[in-house]
C-alpha cells in the first residue's frame, strides 16, 4: 500500500515537471513577423503599401483627427476663408475661432501619422532586399519610392508645423534612453534642403520617370511627382513666412541658440530663393509638359474650346480611366469620395430619391463667391467698405447685386444653361469656373437622371435650415467643385492632390518675384485664363490690359490662383506663406441670409466672426512631444 | 417517550423564537425481518435492514460500523431485531420515522444501581429552533462521560446529581445546564458564537484554525442573505471590510457590480481573483442560496499562494456541501416589485423653449420659438403640431418585477452526502413596449440554475468530492441598447416632434433627420425589434483527497480537476422604421383631419437578422500536499501545490488570441505556532507568464507573516474579563502581475496584413494590404506589488463585541504601462510599447465591528459595521517631467480627472475689462466660467490644467446596520455609503445646446442657471449659449472643476422583516419550519447629487438606472 502511494507521488511530480517545461511555450514559430514579410515579393509590396498609406485623403476633411492613422487629411478648406462646415464637431472650427491647442487630437494624430510614415519608409529602405521573386531593379525602384514618400511626409509636416526634427536614416529604438531621444528641431532651411535633396536622390536612384497604366504603376510616386514636390518645397522656402519676413517667428530658436527661420536675408538672397523655385518649376515644364501633362481641353463639335466642360473634366478624375486625364500630377486613388460628395450635394428635401439627397454641409463663403471673375474677365468686387460687408463693386465689370433675371443665363460658348431663369442677378454673367465651383440659390442640380431639381438654401427652401435641421449650408452657398453628376454616394473618382495649373501658378509667382516681366509669366497665366474661358491679359478676344508692374502682377497671380485652385487645399497654405493671413482670416465671413426667404435671403449676412492670431500660422508641436523631448521648442503662442 | 415529547413541545411553545421538529412517525413499522449474521459487522446488519425496508441508519461515531454482532432472527419486527443485535453491545438506538439513529449508550449497564446516577434527556436546538445534531454533551467535571445529540437533537446522558452538563458545538457558545433538581428533561437552545463563528477559517487552498490565521481576510456567511437581483455581486457593497463595490446599472441580467479589494493600485486589471469552489469563475450568476460562504483574502500573506493571479486580492466562494442527516428540503420564494431609484428628470417643453430663446438672445440671435408658438404648446392646442413630449415618461413604466424560487435538498450518510438545488430567477425591466409590434421586445431576464455537490468517502482515507453547477440565462431586450435609447432621449428636445403620428390608427414614426440622426427614443425602445441573449454556463469539478497518514501523520494529498464551459449567443431581429414629418407645418392636415406627412428618413419595416456568439472553455488542474501536526506545544503546517489553468476563448480575433490563455504556478506555505501564542507563516508563489521572454518568464513571490495572541499569555488573565481576546498580526510580501489588457506575448513582435494600412497601386483598381505592426516586442519583467498589513483583532465583553482593524500599505513597482507619453511620436512606431514604468502607492485601512447580544430568550440584537478606505497615488507614471508641477500625474490617483480649475463666473464688470484677464476659449460674456490661470501667463491653456478629481471609484466605502430579533420576528437594516467619488459631467443635455446645430435635451434643473437677471455665481449651469460651433459656446464646456460633481451617497441598502410562523399552523403538514419575509433594497438614498443614481457610470445620465425593490417571500423546509 505504501509503495503504491510513493509511485503515485512520483507520477504526479513527474507530470508536473514535464508540464512546466513547455506549458507556456505555445506560440508557433512560423507566425508573421517583420523579417518574414520581406522574404517574398507580395510581402515586400504589402510593406510598401503601408509606406504609401499616409498620403492624405483630403476628400474627408471632417472626420479628421479621429482614429484612423492613415487619414491624414487636414482642416484646410473650411479652416480658411474658403468655406464653413455646418457641423460643430469638425475641427476646422478650432482653426476659425483660434481654440486649436497643443493637446488637440488632430494636432497629434497628423504629426504621429506622418512620422509613422517616415519610420515605415526607413524600415522599408533598410529591409527590402532581393529574393527569389524580387529583382535588384524592383528593390531599387521601391526603395526610391519609399525615400520620396519619406520626403513628402516631411514636407507635409513642415508645411503645417513649421521646422521639425529630421531623423535621417536613423531608427531610434524603443529601448532608447531618454537622452538619446532629445532631438532639436531642424531649421526651416535645413528642412527644405533635406526634402529637396532626398527627392533628387530618389529621382536619381530608381524612381520611374512617369507612371502610366502601361507601366503598372498608377498611383506610385514617379519623377514628375518628386519634381513637383521639389517646386512646392522651394516655394515655401522662398515665401515670406519662411524667408524670415514674419517677425512673429523671427526669434524662434532652439535651446542652443540656433534660429529656426532665416535671419535678415538680403533682398538678393530672397530673390535667389524665388529663382531657385522658378528654375525648378521651369525644369518640370521643360521635361514633362507636353510629354506627359497638359491642361485638359474639351472642344465643342464645331471645334471651339469648351472651358466649362474642360474645367469640369480636369476635376473629374474617374479612376477607371485615369489615362484619360492629362492634368493630374498627384492623386490618391482610394479615398473618401462619398464623404466629400455628401458634403457638397444639397439636402434636397422632397427629391425623388436618395441619390439627390445629402447634406450640403460645406458652405462656400461670400468672399470666395466674390472672387470669381465676370465673363468679361474683370473682377466684380474690388474690396469691402469699412463695415467689412458692403462690397466695393467694380462698376466696369457689369456686376449687379439686385433683382432677378427673367431668362436663363447661358454659356456663351456652348449655350448650356449657366444660371436658370429667376436666378439672382449677382449669379449671372460670371466666368465658367464660378458655375463649376459654386451652388447658389435656385441653381439646378447636376444630377438630372430621375428629375431636374433646383437647390434652395432659403430658410424654408428644400436645402434650407428649416428642412435640413442639421444639414444645410450656413452661408447660403454650397461648394460644388467635384460634386457628382450621379448619385452622391457613387465613389468613383480619385482624390486630386495636385493639378498642372498649380505648377503653372507656382512658376509665374516665382518668376514675378525673381524676374518680373519674364515672358513666361503672361504665357502661363494666360494659358489658365484661356482654358477657364475668360479674356486674357494683353492678347486674344476681349483682352484685358497687362497688369502694370510687379505688384499689380502679383495681385493678378494671387487672384487667379485663388479662383483656379479654390477648395483644392491650397489657399489655407497660401494665405500663410504669403504672410497675409492676419488680414484675410482675422475677420468675419459672410454669406446670404439663410434665416430669410425670398428676397430677404439675398442679403449679405455675417455667418460668423473668425479669429486669426499670429500663432495660427503653424500648428503647435503636440504637447506630448514637447514634454518628452526637452530640446523640442514649441511654436510661439501655444 | 410520547409524554416527554409532549412536554418538550409545550416547553417550546413558550418560546416563539424557536421551532422544533415533530418526529412524524413514532410507531414501529409493521414489516418484519429475517437476518442471519455470525460475527458480522453492524454495517452488514444495517445494509441488510436497509435493503429489506425504507429505513436508513445514521450514526456519528464511525467505529460503530465495525462492531461485531451475531444474530439469527426470522420474521421479527424491527425493534426485536435491533434489540437482539445490540444486546451484547454498549449501543442503543432510536427510531425516528424512517431514520434509525445508533449511538453509544453512555448509560451503560454497569452504572445502573448507583444511587447518584441520574438520567436526563432533552433536545438541543439552535436559535431558529432547528434540531442540532452532533452537539457534544458532557458531564461538567467528568468530560469522559459524554455523548452527542442525534439527528433530531435528542440526547440522553446519565450523570451524577448535583452537577451540571456542558453542551458544546463548534461555532456555538458553550452552554452549561444546571441539572440539580428533579427535572429530567432539559431542552437546550444554543446560540451561535458569532464572534467565534469560524473556529476554522477559509484560507488560500484550504482552511486554517482561526486563531492561527495571520493573513487579512474577511468572511461573509450568506445564510440569511437574500438579494432581489440576478447578480450575487450586488450583495457585497457595505457588507465586507476591504471590498469596494459599485453597481453601475440596474438593467435586468446586466446588473453585476464592479468590485475591487482595497482600491485600485494599477491601471491594469484591478479586479480581484474570484474562485468558486477553488476555480477561477464568475460568481454573479450563482444563486445566493447555494453559497455557503464568501471570503476575501486581502494581503500578500493570504494571497501569495495564488501567485500572480491574486495580486488584486482574492474572493473565495464556497458552495454548500452535503451534510450528514436525513434529507431536508428547503424552499424559498419571493416576488418583488421594482422601480428606479431615481429617474432622470428632463425639462418640460415650455422651459426648454424659453431656455433656447434665452441662449440665442445671449448671443444677439433671434428667438427660435415665437411667443405664439410657446403659448400654443402651453395651451396644448395641437400636440402633434406643437408637441411637448416627456421622453422619460414615454420610455419607462413605473414598475417592473422580479421573482425567484429556490428548492434545495441536503442530506446524506456517513459515506455519501449531497447538496442539490435548482432555482429560477426572473426579472422584467421598466422599458415600455407597444402593442403594435407582434414580437416581444419586453426587457426581461430569466435564469435557471442548478447546483449539485456530492461528497463521497471511498475508503477510510480517501474522499472524493464532485461538484457540478450551471445556469441557463435568457435575456430579452429591445434591439437598441438601453444606453443608446437613453442617448436618443438626451439628444432630442421635447418639442421637435410628437411621440407618434397616427393615420387611420396606423402609426408613423415622427422624425426630422434624413440621415437617421435625432432618433425618436420611443420608437427606438418599442419599434426597432428585439434582441434575445442566451448564456450557458457549466462548472464541473472533481477532487480526490487522500489521507497519507500511513506515510506520516498529518499528511494529505489532494488533486482537483475542473472543466468549465460557457457560451453566449445573441440573436437580434431589428429594423429601422421610416420617419415622417409634416410636409408643411402651415398646412398640416387634409380635409379628413389626418396629418399630411413627408417621409424624412427612408427606413424599412422588415426585420433583419443578426447574431453573435462567443464563449470559452477552461481546464484547471491542481495537485497539493498538505501537512498539519502538533508536537506538544509546537504545531507545524505545510502546503505544496501545483496548478495550471488553460482557457480558450472563441471567436479568436487573431492567431495570438486563438492560443489558450495559460497560467501555471507552484505555491508553498509553511506555518508554525507555539502554544497558540506565537505564530509565524511563510507563503510563496512561483509563477510563469506567457507574456515574458523565456529567460524572464518565472517569478518568485514570497510573503511572511507573524502573529501574537496576547490574550493567551499568562499576564493577560487580569484583563481578560474585559478584553477576552487580542491578536496582533503583521504580514509582508510581494505579488506579481504580468497581464495588460489587449496584449499577449509582449516579448514578440506582432504584425498583420491590414487593408486599413493599404494602398491602391498599379493599373488594376485593387488595393494592396499594408502591414500593421500591432505591437513591437519589448523585453519586460514582472509588475510587482509589495504589500504590508498590520492587523489587530480583539474581542470585548465576553466576546460580544469583536473588532478587526487592518492597516495596509501597498507599493507597486514596474507597473506595466502603455508608454503613450514617454515615447515621442516622432520615433514613428505604430503602436505605443509597453514598459515596466509605473509606480503606485496605495494605503488605507479596513475595519469591521460586530456586536451580538442576547439580552434574554426573546431578544437578540446584533449590530455590525465596516469601513474601507484606500488612497492610491502615482509615484511614477509614464509621464515625462512636466514644465509645471501641477501638470504632474504624480500624486494623483489612477482614476483621476485632469482639467481646469473653475474660479467662478465672469461678472459683467469683469467682462468690461476682459483685457485684464487671460484669454480663454472662444468669445466670453458675463456668466461664463472663469478659469484659474495657474502658470500666470496671459492665457488659459493646457498648462493651466491640473488633477481636479478623484474619479468615480470611491476612496471610502462603509456599511452599517443592525438586526433585532424578538421571538419569531426579526428586523434587519443595512445602510451603505461611499465617499470620495466624483464624476465629470459631460455630454448631451447636461451640456446645454452643444449638439449639432444646438441639439440636445435639457435636465429639469435647467432653471438653476446664470442669467442676466439673476447672475447667480452658484448656479448649476453657466450662461446659456446655443450651438456647438458657436464661439460663445466653447468656453464653458472645457473639462473643469465646474462640471465635477461629488457622487457620495448613503443609502438604505436593505431592510428585511421576517417572521417565523408558529409551528402549530403547519404542524400536520410535515413542515419543519416556515417563515415569511418582506424585504426592500435601495429604499432611499441620501446624496447631494440629484440628477441620476450616483452609482451609475455615466456623465449625462444615459445609463439604465439602478432599481429599488420591494419583495415579499416565503421560506420553508420539510
Amino acid at each position: 500500500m505504501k509503495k503504491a502511494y510513493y509511485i503515485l507521488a512520483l507520477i504526479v511530480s513527474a507530470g508536473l515537471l514535464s508540464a512546466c517545461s513547455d506549458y507556456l511555450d505555445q506560440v508557433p514559430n512560423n507566425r508573421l513577423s517583420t523579417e518574414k514579410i520581406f522574404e517574398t515579393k507580395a510581402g515586400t509590396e504589402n510593406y510598401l503599401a503601408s509606406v504609401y498609406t499616409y498620403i492624405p485623403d483630403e476628400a474627408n476633411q471632417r472626420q479628421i483627427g479621429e482614429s484612423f492613422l492613415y487619414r491624414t487629411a487636414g482642416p484646410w478648406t473650411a479652416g480658411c476663408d474658403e468655406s464653413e462646415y455646418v457641423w460643430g464637431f469638425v475641427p476646422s472650427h478650432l482653426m476659425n475661432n483660434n481654440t486649436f491647442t497643443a493637446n488637440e487630437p488632430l494636432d497629434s494624430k497628423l504629426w504621429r501619422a506622418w512620422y509613422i510614415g517616415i519610420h515605415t519608409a526607413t524600415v522599408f529602405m533598410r529591409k527590402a532586399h532581393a529574393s527569389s521573386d524580387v529583382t535588384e531593379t524592383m528593390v531599387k525602384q521601391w526603395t526610391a519610392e519609399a525615400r520620396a514618400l519619406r520626403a513628402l511626409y516631411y514636407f507635409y509636416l513642415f508645411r503645417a508645423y513649421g521646422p521639425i526634427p529630421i531623423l535621417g536614416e536613423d531608427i531610434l529604438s524603443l529601448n532608447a534612453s531618454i537622452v538619446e531621444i532629445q532631438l532639436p528641431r531642424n531649421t526651416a532651411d535645413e528642412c527644405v534642403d533635406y526634402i529637396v535633396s532626398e527627392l533628387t536622390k530618389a529621382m536619381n536612384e530608381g524612381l520611374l520617370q512617369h507612371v502610366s497604366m502601361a507601366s503598372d504603376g498608377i498611383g506610385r510616386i514617379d519623377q514628375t511627382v518628386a519634381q513637383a514636390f521639389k517646386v512646392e518645397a522651394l516655394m515655401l522656402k522662398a515665401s515670406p513666412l519662411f524667408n524670415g519676413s514674419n517677425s512673429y517667428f523671427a526669434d524662434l530658436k532652439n535651446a542652443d541658440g540656433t534660429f529656426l527661420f532665416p535671419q535678415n536675408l538680403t533682398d538678393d538672397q530672397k530673390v535667389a530663393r524665388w529663382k531657385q523655385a522658378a528654375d525648378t518649376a521651369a525644369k518640370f515644364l521643360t521635361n514633362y509638359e507636353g510629354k506627359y501633362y497638359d491642361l485638359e481641353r474639351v472642344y465643342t463639335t464645331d471645334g471651339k474650346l469648351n472651358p466649362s466642360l474642360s474645367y469640369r473634366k480636369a476635376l473629374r478624375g474617374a479612376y477607371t480611366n485615369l489615362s484619360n486625364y492629362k492634368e493630374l500630377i498627384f492623386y490618391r486613388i482610394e479615398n473618401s469620395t462619398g464623404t466629400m460628395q455628401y458634403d457638397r450635394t444639397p439636402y434636397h428635401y422632397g427629391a425623388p430619391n436618395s441619390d439627390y439627397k445629402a447634406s450640403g454641409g460645406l458652405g462656400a463663403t461670400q468672399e470666395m463667391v466674390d472672387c470669381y471673375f465676370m465673363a468679361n474677365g474683370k473682377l466684380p468686387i474690388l474690396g469691402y467698405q469699412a463695415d467689412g460687408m458692403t462690397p466695393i463693386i467694380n462698376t466696369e465689370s457689369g456686376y449687379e447685386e439686385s433683382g432677378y433675371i427673367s431668362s436663363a443665363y447661358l454659356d456663351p460658348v456652348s449655350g448650356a444653361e449657366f444660371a436658370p431663369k429667376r436666378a439672382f442677378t449677382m449669379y449671372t454673367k460670371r466666368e465658367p469656373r464660378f458655375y463649376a465651383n459654386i451652388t447658389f440659390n435656385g441653381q439646378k442640380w447636376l444630377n438630372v437622371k430621375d428629375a431636374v431639381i433646383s437647390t434652395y438654401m432659403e430658410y424654408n427652401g428644400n436645402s434650407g435650415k428649416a428642412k435640413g435641421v442639421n444639414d444645410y449650408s450656413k452661408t447660403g452657398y454650397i461648394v460644388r467643385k467635384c460634386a457628382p453628376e450621379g448619385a452622391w454616394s457613387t465613389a468613383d473618382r480619385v482624390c486630386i492632390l495636385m493639378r498642372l495649373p498649380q505648377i503653372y501658378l507656382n512658376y509665374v509667382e516665382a518668376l514675378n518675384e525673381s524676374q518680373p516681366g519674364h515672358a513666361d509669366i503672361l504665357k502661363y497665366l494666360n494659358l489658365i485664363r484661356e482654358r477657364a474661358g475668360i479674356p486674357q491679359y494683353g492678347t486674344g478676344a476681349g483682352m484685358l490690359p497687362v497688369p502694370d508692374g510687379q505688384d499689380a502682377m502679383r495681385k493678378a497671380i494671387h487672384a487667379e490662383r485663388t479662383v483656379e485652385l479654390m477648395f483644392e487645399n491650397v489657399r489655407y497654405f497660401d494665405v500663410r506663406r504669403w504672410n497675409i493671413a492676419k488680414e484675410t482670416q482675422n475677420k468675419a465671413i459672410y454669406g446670404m441670409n439663410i434665416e430669410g426667404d425670398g428676397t430677404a435671403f439675398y442679403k449679405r449676412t455675417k455667418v460668423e466672426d473668425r479669429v486669426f492670431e499670429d500663432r495660427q500660422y503653424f500648428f503647435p508641436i503636440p504637447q506630448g512631444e514637447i514634454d518628452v523631448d526637452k530640446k523640442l521648442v514649441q511654436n510661439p503662442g501655444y | 417517550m410520547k409524554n416527554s415529547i409532549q412536554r418538550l413541545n409545550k416547553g417550546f411553545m413558550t418560546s416563539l423564537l424557536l421551532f422544533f421538529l415533530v418526529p412524524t412517525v413514532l410507531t414501529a413499522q409493521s414489516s418484519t425481518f429475517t437476518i442471519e449474521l455470525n460475527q458480522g459487522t453492524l454495517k452488514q446488519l444495517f445494509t441488510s435492514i436497509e435493503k429489506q425496508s425504507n429505513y436508513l441508519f445514521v450514526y456519528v461515531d464511525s467505529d460503530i460500523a465495525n462492531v461485531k454482532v451475531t444474530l439469527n432472527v426470522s420474521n421479527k419486527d424491527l425493534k426485536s431485531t435491533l434489540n437482539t443485535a445490540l444486546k451484547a453491545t454498549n449501543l442503543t438506538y432510536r427510531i425516528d420515522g424512517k431514520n434509525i439513529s445508533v449511538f453509544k449508550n453512555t448509560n451503560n449497564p454497569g452504572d445502573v444501581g448507583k444511587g447518584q446516577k441520574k438520567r436526563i434527556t432533552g433536545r438541543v436546538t439552535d436559535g431558529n429552533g432547528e434540531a442540532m445534531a452532533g452537539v457534544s454533551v458532557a458531564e461538567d467535571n467528568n468530560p469522559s462521560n459524554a455523548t452527542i445529540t442525534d439527528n433530531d437533537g435528542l440526547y440522553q446522558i446519565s450523570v451524577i446529581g448535583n452537577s451540571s452538563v456542558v453542551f458544546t458545538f463548534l461555532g456555538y457558545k458553550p452552554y452549561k445546564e444546571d441539572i440539580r433538581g428533579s427535572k429530567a428533561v432539559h431542552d437546550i437552545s444554543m446560540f451561535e458564537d458569532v464572534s467565534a463563528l469560524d473556529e476554522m477559517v477559509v484560507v488560500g487552498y484550504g482552511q486554517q484554525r482561526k486563531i492561527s490565521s495571520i493573513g487579512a481576510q474577511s468572511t461573509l456567511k450568506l445564510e440569511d442573505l437574500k438579494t432581489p437581483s440576478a447578480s450575487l455581486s450586488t450583495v457585497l457593497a457595505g457588507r465586507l471590510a476591504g471590498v469596494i463595490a459599485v453597481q453601475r446599472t440596474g438593467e435586468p441580467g446586466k446588473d453585476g457590480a464592479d468590485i475591487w479589494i482595497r482600491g485600485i493600485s494599477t491601471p491594469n486589471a484591478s479586479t480581484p481573483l474570484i474562485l468558486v469552489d477553488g476555480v477561477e469563475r464568475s460568481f454573479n450568476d450563482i444563486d445566493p442560496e447555494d453559497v455557503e460562504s464568501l471570503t476575501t483574502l486581502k494581503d500578500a500573506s493570504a494571497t501569495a499562494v495564488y501567485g500572480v493571479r491574486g495580486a488584486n486580492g482574492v474572493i473565495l466562494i464556497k458552495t454548500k456541501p452535503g451534510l450528514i442527516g436525513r434529507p431536508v428540503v428547503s424552499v424559498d420564494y419571493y416576488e418583488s416589485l421594482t422601480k428606479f431609484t431615481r429617474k432622470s428628470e428632463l425639462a418640460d417643453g415650455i422651459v426648454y423653449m424659453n431656455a433656447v430663446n434665452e441662449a440665442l438672445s445671449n448671443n444677439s440671435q433671434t428667438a427660435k420659438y415665437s411667443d405664439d408658438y410657446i403659448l400654443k404648446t402651453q395651451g396644448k392646442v395641437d400636440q402633434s403640431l406643437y408637441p411637448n413630449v416627456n421622453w422619460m415618461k414615454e420610455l419607462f413604466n413605473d414598475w417592473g418585477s422580479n421573482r425567484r424560487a429556490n428548492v434545495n435538498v441536503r442530506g446524506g450518510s456517513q459515506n455519501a452526502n449531497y447538496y442539490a438545488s435548482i432555482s429560477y430567477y426572473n426579472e422584467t425591466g421598466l422599458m415600455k413596449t407597444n402593442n403594435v409590434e407582434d414580437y416581444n421586445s419586453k426587457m426581461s431576464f430569466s435564469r435557471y440554475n442548478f447546483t449539485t455537490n456530492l461528497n463521497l468517502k471511498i475508503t477510510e482515507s480517501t474522499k472524493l468530492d464532485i461538484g457540478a453547477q450551471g445556469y441557463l440565462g435568457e435575456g430579452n431586450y429591445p434591439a437598441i441598447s438601453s444606453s443608446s435609447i437613453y442617448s436618443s432621449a438626451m439628444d432630442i428636445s421635447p418639442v421637435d416632434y410628437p411621440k407618434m403620428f397616427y393615420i387611420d390608427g396606423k402609426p408613423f414614426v415622427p422624425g426630422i433627420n434624413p440621415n437617421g440622426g435625432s432618433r425618436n427614443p420611443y420608437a427606438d425602445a418599442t419599434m426597432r425589434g428585439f434582441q434575445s441573449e442566451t448564456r450557458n454556463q457549466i462548472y464541473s469539478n472533481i477532487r480526490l483527497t487522500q489521507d497519507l497518514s500511513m506515510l506520516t501523520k498529518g499528511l494529505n494529498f489532494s488533486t482537483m480537476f475542473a472543466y468549465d464551459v460557457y457560451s453566449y449567443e445573441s440573436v437580434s431581429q431589428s429594423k429601422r422604421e421610416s420617419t415622417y414629418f409634416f410636409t408643411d407645418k402651415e398646412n398640416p392636415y387634409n380635409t379628413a383631419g389626418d396629418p399630411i406627412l413627408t417621409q424624412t428618413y427612408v427606413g424599412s419595416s422588415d426585420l433583419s437578422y443578426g447574431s453573435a456568439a462567443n464563449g470559452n472553455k477552461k481546464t484547471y488542474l491542481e495537485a497539493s500536499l498538505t501537512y498539519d501536526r502538533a508536537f506538544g506545544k509546537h504545531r507545524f503546517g505545510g502546503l505544496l501545490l501545483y496548478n495550471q489553468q488553460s482557457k480558450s476563448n472563441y471567436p479568436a480575433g487573431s492567431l495570438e488570441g486563438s492560443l489558450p490563455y495559460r497560467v501555471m504556478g507552484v505555491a508553498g506555505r509553511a506555518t508554525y505556532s507555539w502554544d497558540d501564542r506565537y505564530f509565524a507563516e511563510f507563503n510563496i508563489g512561483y509563477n510563469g507568464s506567457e507574456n515574458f521572454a523565456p529567460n524572464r518568464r518565472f517569478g518568485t513571490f514570497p510573503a511572511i507573516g507573524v502573529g501574537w495572541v496576547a490574550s493567551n499569555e499568562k499576564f493577560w488573565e487580569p484583563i481578560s474579563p474585559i478584553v477576552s481576546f487580542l491578536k496582533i498580526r503583521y504580514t509582508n510580501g510581494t505579488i506579481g502581475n504580468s497581464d495588460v489588457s489587449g496584449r499577449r506575448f509582449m516579448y514578440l513582435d506582432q504584425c498583420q496584413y491590414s487593408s486599413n494600412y493599404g494602398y491602391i497601386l498599379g493599373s488594376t483598381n485593387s488595393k494592396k494590404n499594408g502591414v500593421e505592426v500591432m505591437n513591437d516586442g519589448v523585453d519586460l519583467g514582472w509588475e510587482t506589488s509589495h504589500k504590508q498589513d498590520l492587523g489587530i483583532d480583539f474581542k470585548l465583553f465576553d466576546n460580544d463585541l469583536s473588532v478587526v482593524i487592518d492597516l495596509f500599505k501597498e507599493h507597486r513597482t514596474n507597473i506595466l504601462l502603455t508608454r503613450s507619453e514617454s515615447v515621442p511620436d516622432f520615433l514613428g512606431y505604430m503602436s505605443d510599447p509597453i514598459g515596466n514604468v509605473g509606480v503606485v502607492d496605495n494605503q488605507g485601512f479596513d475595519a469591521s465591528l460586530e456586536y451580538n447580544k442576547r439580552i434574554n430568550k426573546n431578544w437578540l440584537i446584533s449590530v455590525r459595521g465596516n469601513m474601507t478606505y484606500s488612497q492610491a497615488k502615482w509615484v511614477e507614471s509614464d509621464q515625462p517631467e512636466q514644465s509645471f508641477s501641477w501638470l504632474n500625474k504624480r500624486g494623483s490617483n489612477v482614476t483621476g480627472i485632469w482639467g481646469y480649475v473653475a474660479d467662478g463666473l465672469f461678472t459683467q464688470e469683469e467682462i468690461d475689462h476682459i483685457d485684464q484677464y487671460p484669454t480663454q476659449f472662444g468669445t466670453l460674456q458675463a456668466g461664463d466660467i472663469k478659469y484659474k490661470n495657474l502658470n500666470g501667463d496671459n492665457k488659459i491653456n493646457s498648462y493651466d490644467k491640473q488633477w481636479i478629481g478623484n474619479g468615480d471609484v470611491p476612496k471610502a466605502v462603509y456599511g452599517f446596520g443592525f438586526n433585532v430579533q424578538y421571538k419569531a420576528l426579526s428586523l434587519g437594516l443595512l445602510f451603505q455609503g461611499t465617499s470620495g467619488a466624483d464624476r465629470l459631467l459631460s455630454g448631451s443635455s447636461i451640456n446645454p445646446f452643444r449638439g449639432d446645430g444646438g441639439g440636445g435635451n435639457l435636465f429639469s434643473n435647467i432653471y438653476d442657471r446664470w442669467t442676466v437677471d439673476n447672475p447667480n455665481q452658484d448656479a448649476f449651469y453657466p450662461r446659456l449659449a446655443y450651438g456647438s460651433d458657436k464661439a460663445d459656446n466653447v468656453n464653458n464646456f472645457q473639462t473643469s472643476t465646474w462640471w465635477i460633481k461629488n457622487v457620495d451617497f448613503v443609502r438604505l441598502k436593505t431592510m428585511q422583516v421576517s417572521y417565523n410562523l408558529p409551528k402549530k399552523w403547519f404542524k400536520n403538514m410535515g413542515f419543519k419550519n416556515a417563515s415569511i419575509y418582506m424585504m426592500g433594497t435601495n429604499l432611499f438614498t441620501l446624496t447631494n447629487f440629484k440628477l441620476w443614481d450616483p452609482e451609475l457610470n455615466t456623465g449625462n445620465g444615459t445609463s439604465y438606472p439602478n432599481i429599488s425593490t420591494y419583495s415579499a417571500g416565503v421560506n420553508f423546509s420539510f
Side-chain angles (χ1 to χ4, degrees), chain B residues 640-903:
Chain B
L640 185 64
L641 179 138
Y642 169 82
N643 66 21
Q644 63 180 43
Q645 177 177 303
S646 179
K647 182 179 177 185
S648 306
N649 298 325
Y650 72 85
S654 63
L655 171 73
E656 284 80 5
S658 72
L659 298 169
Y661 288 75
R662 286 182 171 171
V663 285
M664 61 178 294
V666 177
R669 172 162 57 221
T671 60
Y672 169 75
S673 66
W674 187 75
D675 197 23
D676 277 356
R677 277 189 269 165
Y678 307 104
F679 302 88
E681 192 172 310
F682 177 72
N683 287 287
I684 190 163
Y686 179 71
N687 287 88
S689 164
E690 59 182 21
N691 283 330
F692 304 139
N695 59 332
R696 299 182 73 176
R697 183 165 283 169
F698 285 88
T700 308
F701 305 101
I704 57 147
V706 289
W708 177 40
V709 178
S711 53
N712 280 357
E713 299 283 358
K714 272 267 174 328
F715 65 78
W716 197 264
E717 271 171 18
I719 319 172
S720 59
I722 308 157
V723 182
S724 45
F725 180 80
L726 174 73
K727 177 158 83 172
I728 296 168
R729 303 171 274 117
Y730 173 74
T731 67
N732 188 333
T734 59
I735 302 184
N737 171 47
S738 64
D739 291 348
V740 298
S741 69
R743 173 80 168 114
R744 299 182 71 188
F745 313 115
M746 296 175 222
Y747 65 102
L748 295 173
D749 277 341
Q750 200 187 353
C751 49
Q752 67 180 16
Y753 293 119
S754 158
S755 91
N756 278 351
Y757 290 80
Y759 201 73
I760 293 179
L761 288 172
S763 58
T764 53
N765 180 21
S766 68
K767 188 171 178 180
K768 284 195 195 326
N769 283 341
V771 174
E772 180 184 5
V773 181
M774 284 112 79
N775 287 294
D776 293 278
V778 270
D779 191 17
L780 297 172
W782 292 88
E783 171 178 327
T784 311
S785 167
H786 176 204
K787 295 183 180 185
Q788 296 179 74
D789 185 289
L790 179 64
I792 178 164
D793 306 357
F794 62 88
K795 293 176 187 175
L796 305 179
F797 317 125
D798 197 21
N799 293 355
D800 281 345
L801 176 70
S802 64
V803 177
V804 179
I805 300 171
D806 280 277
L807 306 177
F808 63 85
K809 201 170 169 180
E810 176 176 5
H811 180 63
R812 223 180 244 247
T813 51
N814 283 332
I815 293 177
L816 292 162
L817 294 181
T818 301
R819 295 177 59 200
S820 55
E821 292 184 76
S822 63
V823 175
D825 287 342
F826 64 71
L827 297 194
Y829 288 90
M830 267 187 215
S831 73
D832 293 323
I834 291 162
N836 284 112
V837 288
V839 178
V840 168
D841 272 348
N842 182 18
Q843 51 187 320
F845 70 89
D846 55 57
S848 59
L849 171 151
E850 248 181 82
Y851 180 74
N852 294 287
K853 183 75 184 171
R854 171 159 295 277
I855 293 166
N856 55 39
K857 265 201 158 174
N858 292 340
W859 285 93
L860 174 68
I861 295 178
S862 62
V863 178
R864 59 194 66 187
N866 69 74
M867 179 166 183
T868 306
Y869 171 84
S870 87
Q871 164 103 55
K873 59 173 194 222
W874 286 106
V875 177
E876 246 347 293
S877 74
D878 164 57
Q879 195 186 40
E881 203 57 48
Q882 297 294 292
S883 23
F884 298 106
S885 59
W886 56 86
L887 300 175
N888 252 317
K889 206 179 202 174
R890 295 169 189 81
S892 83
N893 66 336
V894 174
T895 53
I897 305 166
W898 199 59
Y900 297 104
V901 181
D903 191 17

Side-chain angles (χ1 to χ4, degrees), chain A residues 188-189 237 241-245 250 259-265 273:
Chain A
D189 287 355
K237 187 179 179 182
L241 177 61
F242 294 92
N243 75 5
S245 304
F259 287 101
L260 294 183
F261 288 95
Q263 301 289 306
N264 310 317
L265 291 190
R273 289 175 176 232

Side-chain angles (χ1 to χ4, degrees), chain B residues 22-37:
Chain B
V22 187
T24 47
V25 188
L26 283 177
T27 52
Q29 298 289 307
S30 56
S31 57
T32 56
F33 299 90
T34 302
I35 295 168
E36 189 181 335
L37 209 58

Side-chain angles (χ1 to χ4, degrees), chain A residues 2 5 16 19-20 23-27 31 37 45-46 49-50 52-53 55 69-70 88 103 112 115-116 119 167 172 174 181 216 218 319 334 342 347 349 470-471 474 623 625 627-630, chain B residues 513-515 546 550 598 642 644-646 655-656 660 662 664 697 745 749 756-758 762-763 765 767 769-771 819 821-822 825-830 832-833 880-882 942-943 996 1028-1029:
Chain A
K2 247 183 183 179
Y5 283 111
L16 299 189
C20 281
Y23 192 69
L24 299 175
D25 270 324
Q26 49 166 348
V27 183
R31 52 193 274 288
I37 287 167
E45 285 187 294
N46 285 134
S50 42
Y52 268 97
T53 197
I55 291 174
L69 279 173
Y70 61 91
N103 287 308
R112 177 171 186 157
Y115 268 112
I116 290 174
H119 173 87
L167 303 171
L172 290 171
L174 278 176
I181 55 172
D216 191 30
I218 292 289
Y319 64 55
E334 188 200 28
Y342 181 80
Y347 185 78
Y349 186 89
N470 294 323
D471 296 333
K474 285 170 75 179
Q623 187 61 42
E625 305 290 280
D627 289 341
V628 188
D629 181 353
K630 303 294 177 193
Chain B
N513 194 309
N515 310 309
Q546 175 63 47
M550 67 288 278
T598 294
Y642 169 82
Q644 63 180 43
Q645 177 177 303
S646 179
L655 171 73
E656 284 80 5
R662 286 182 171 171
M664 61 178 294
R697 183 165 283 169
F745 313 115
D749 277 341
N756 278 351
Y757 290 80
S763 58
N765 180 21
K767 188 171 178 180
N769 283 341
V771 174
R819 295 177 59 200
E821 292 184 76
S822 63
D825 287 342
F826 64 71
L827 297 194
Y829 288 90
M830 267 187 215
D832 293 323
E881 203 57 48
Q882 297 294 292
S942 52
Y943 291 121
D996 272 331
S1028 58
D1029 54 333

Side-chain angles (χ1 to χ4, degrees), chain B residues 114-130:
Chain B
K114 288 187 183 172
Q116 306 97 311
K117 282 282 177 182
K118 176 177 180 185
R119 181 179 152 126
I120 64 162
T121 64
R123 175 184 297 268
V124 181
T125 52
D126 66 9
N128 295 324
E130 294 271 5

